[in-house]
Amino acid sequence: MNKKNYIRLIYIVLSIVSGMFCYHFFLEGKWINVILFALVIVVLLSLVNASLLSQTAAAEKIILSIVRKDFSLFPSEDGTELTDSSVRLYYQSKNEHFSLSSYKLLYESILDRLDIGLMILSKKESDWEVFYVNPVFLNILQVPKYNSWNLYANKIPEFFNIIEQTQYESSQEFFDISIRHNAKQSFSLRTKQVQNVQDSFYIITLESVQKIIEQKEKLAWNNLMKVISHELLNTLTPVNSLIQNLEYISNQEVVDKEDQQEMKESLAIINSKSRQLLNFVDNYRQVAELPKPLMANVSLKKITETAIAFLKQEFDKNTITVIADLEEQFVYADQKMIERCLINLFLNAIYAVNGKEEKIIRTDIQLKNNRLILSISDNGCGITDEIKDKIFLPFFTTRNSGSGIGLTLSKSIMEAHKGYLNYQNLEEGSCFEMWFVI
């Protein structure tokens, strides 16, 4: 018990004693003494009340500062239960507040460094307010930062209307808008609504399609340069070593039979490596200089049957069952190029089922949403997550004897036909889909 509590207890005891004397004099009819002791009681109780009010006021001040997030006070415990509890609560809240502020600063620093535009809206009653927006978002749309979402309606009306049309639900789409009356630009927009018990947030991410394309192109070029550099070094390094050895032998006055044999072997290796490099360059030329398709109205069913017949010997040799479910559908395409694309995909499927006891390759033609889809699937080993993003890169291959241009060339052929080549993993095996626009 602290000093204030002792004093308060003494005041209460004195009040009780004074009350007893007051009652005694009341019975004896000594009214002056009654009045005096009554006044003493009032004074003592007033002092007790003042002490309690002072303690309560101190606790209220601390609690109010907690509510207002004002942590400029430095209160200390005084031994009273109410004040001490308030002080402990104050410092606990202060530490939590500073921790949250540190985390908020950290998260904002991370979000500020993102390469994509990010805005987070929070719902207050029926209106949306800007909870957070990063500099990239403001830079993309060339607008200042506002706390009220409605203020953006005048600055970027096209974008504002697009968000309004989503009804603040999760969505993903591409759109074109003109910024500051410049030429229209294409953007990728993703939105997501997040809710908890108390709050509702709406997350908007914005990215320039041109920037996405540039990043993908840069990555593709870097990967291509790595492959080309690797191939050139693997070919030229041993050739250079052999040439140096031949130069050393040729500088000798007498070349014995052993050296002659070594020269023949070196020249044979150089010839083999040169042909390997020429094949590599020819493969690259096929990808880089794809001829313009000679378009005609052709039967997709017939092209598929021709490709299957061409590889019949391979299917029979590897005991592969080919299941074809082919509807009669026509496309405007180059028959030879589509046939080559199909052969590449079938060869990949043959390789994929190589380790299976029961080897099955399926092909079918479907009509879906004004698209013709020619699928080639297998029950093989599938493609791992580590390499699935690389399978369409030029010269990337998992086969010792593969050139690494089959899928790249097939993808280029489909793109030349205004379609695309899609890959998806199956529970057992893989599936490649050739999508045609009709």
Side-chain angles (χ1 to χ4, degrees):
M1 187 178 294
N2 68 350
K3 183 179 178 181
K4 289 183 179 180
N5 287 338
Y6 276 121
I7 294 172
R8 196 157 46 240
L9 180 60
I10 291 171
Y11 288 159
I12 293 171
V13 171
L14 290 175
S15 297
I16 294 171
V17 173
S18 298
M20 293 171 66
F21 278 108
C22 183
Y23 181 71
H24 172 72
F25 288 123
F26 173 76
L27 294 176
E28 292 183 354
K30 298 179 180 179
W31 301 109
I32 294 176
N33 292 337
V34 171
I35 293 170
L36 287 174
F37 278 100
L39 289 172
V40 170
I41 293 171
V42 170
V43 170
L44 291 172
L45 291 177
S46 297
L47 291 173
V48 172
N49 184 59
S51 177
L52 290 172
L53 288 175
S54 174
Q55 180 180 335
T56 305
E60 285 181 351
K61 183 179 180 181
I62 294 171
I63 293 172
L64 187 61
S65 67
I66 295 173
V67 172
R68 293 176 176 176
K69 306 297 182 185
D70 176 13
F71 297 103
S72 58
L73 303 178
F74 296 93
S76 58
E77 296 182 6
D78 61 5
T80 60
E81 184 177 353
L82 180 60
T83 304
D84 292 354
S85 298
S86 301
V87 170
R88 288 193 292 270
L89 179 61
Y90 174 88
Y91 284 111
Q92 180 182 338
S93 301
K94 185 176 182 178
N95 291 334
E96 290 176 355
H97 175 75
F98 287 157
S99 296
L100 287 174
S101 298
S102 299
Y103 284 127
K104 182 181 178 183
L105 182 62
L106 174 63
Y107 294 149
E108 286 186 356
S109 299
I110 294 172
L111 295 176
D112 285 347
R113 293 180 178 273
L114 290 178
D115 291 332
I116 63 174
L118 174 66
M119 175 182 276
I120 303 175
L121 305 179
S122 63
K123 195 168 188 178
K124 302 295 182 184
E125 296 179 355
S126 59
D127 294 328
W128 290 93
E129 294 182 0
V130 178
F131 179 79
Y132 169 81
V133 59
N134 71 351
V136 176
F137 187 95
L138 301 175
N139 185 55
I140 289 175
L141 297 178
Q142 298 180 22
V143 290
K145 182 179 178 180
Y146 297 118
N147 290 327
S148 175
W149 166 240
N150 290 328
L151 293 176
Y152 286 95
N154 294 327
K155 292 293 182 179
I156 42 174
E158 290 182 80
F159 179 77
F160 185 87
N161 291 334
I162 290 170
I163 299 299
E164 287 283 305
Q165 289 168 10
T166 67
Q167 297 182 349
Y168 299 94
E169 298 291 338
S170 299
S171 65
Q172 179 177 348
E173 58 185 280
F174 293 90
F175 66 94
D176 298 329
I177 63 170
S178 174
I179 299 173
R180 292 187 180 271
H181 307 293
N182 294 324
K184 285 195 172 185
Q185 300 179 46
S186 296
F187 293 93
S188 170
L189 174 71
R190 290 181 176 87
T191 62
K192 184 175 181 62
Q193 187 175 114
V194 179
Q195 290 183 321
N196 57 26
V197 177
Q198 294 181 333
D199 301 303
S200 179
F201 296 99
Y202 189 64
I203 303 171
I204 305 169
T205 60
L206 189 65
E207 193 170 9
S208 168
V209 172
Q210 183 61 33
K211 188 174 182 180
I212 297 173
I213 293 171
E214 288 173 357
Q215 289 174 343
K216 294 292 185 182
E217 287 180 346
K218 184 177 180 181
L219 180 62
W221 274 109
N222 287 339
N223 288 326
L224 179 58
M225 289 303 103
K226 287 179 184 178
V227 172
I228 292 176
S229 300
H230 176 76
E231 188 68 25
L232 291 175
L233 286 173
N234 281 354
T235 304
L236 295 179
T237 300
V239 168
N240 184 57
S241 178
L242 290 169
I243 290 174
Q244 289 178 353
N245 188 47
L246 288 172
E247 185 179 11
Y248 171 78
I249 294 173
S250 64
N251 287 333
Q252 296 181 6
E253 293 182 2
V254 178
V255 180
D256 56 26
K257 289 185 177 180
E258 185 177 341
D259 288 337
Q260 289 179 5
Q261 182 62 30
E262 186 175 346
M263 291 177 69
K264 289 180 181 179
E265 292 175 356
S266 297
L267 288 170
I269 294 172
I270 291 172
N271 183 44
S272 173
K273 290 292 182 182
S274 298
R275 281 188 278 105
Q276 180 180 334
L277 188 57
L278 285 172
N279 288 335
F280 175 81
V281 173
D282 184 58
N283 287 334
Y284 178 78
R285 182 185 59 79
Q286 291 183 52
V287 176
E289 300 177 7
L290 187 70
K292 187 176 180 179
L294 300 176
M295 310 296 277
N297 196 34
V298 294
S299 168
L300 200 55
K301 178 181 178 182
K302 183 178 179 181
I303 295 174
T304 307
E305 290 173 343
T306 303
I308 293 172
F310 180 80
L311 294 169
K312 186 177 185 306
Q313 188 175 353
E314 287 292 323
F315 292 137
D316 294 341
K317 184 175 70 175
N318 292 280
T319 62
I320 296 173
T321 302
V322 179
I323 301 173
D325 181 14
L326 306 173
E327 297 180 6
E328 185 63 83
Q329 298 287 351
F330 290 85
V331 292
Y332 197 60
D334 185 312
Q335 180 171 338
K336 290 184 178 179
M337 293 178 75
I338 298 302
E339 187 177 314
R340 184 173 185 181
C341 179
L342 272 168
I343 290 171
N344 287 335
L345 297 178
F346 277 126
L347 288 173
N348 273 356
I350 291 171
Y351 174 77
V353 300
N354 191 30
K356 290 283 185 176
E357 291 185 8
E358 184 182 12
K359 306 171 185 178
I360 300 173
I361 295 176
R362 300 175 185 272
T363 179
D364 62 80
I365 300 172
Q366 303 175 45
L367 180 61
K368 183 179 180 181
N369 297 332
N370 292 325
R371 300 287 190 274
L372 267 179
I373 307 170
L374 174 53
S375 303
I376 297 94
S377 57
D378 60 73
N379 66 333
C381 55
I383 296 174
T384 62
D385 292 337
E386 289 78 12
I387 66 170
K388 70 178 183 180
D389 292 332
K390 302 177 182 178
I391 58 175
F392 292 114
L393 290 177
F395 312 112
F396 176 82
T397 181
T398 56
R399 287 185 256 175
N400 294 329
S401 59
S403 65
I405 68 162
L407 287 177
T408 307
L409 189 58
S410 299
K411 185 172 183 289
S412 298
I413 288 172
M414 290 307 300
E415 288 173 351
H417 285 77
K418 308 300 182 184
Y420 55 93
L421 181 62
N422 184 42
Y423 162 78
Q424 57 179 326
N425 258 329
L426 303 177
E427 289 185 9
E428 184 182 19
S430 306
C431 178
F432 285 89
E433 296 175 338
M434 299 167 61
W435 287 63
F436 298 88
V437 179
I438 57 173

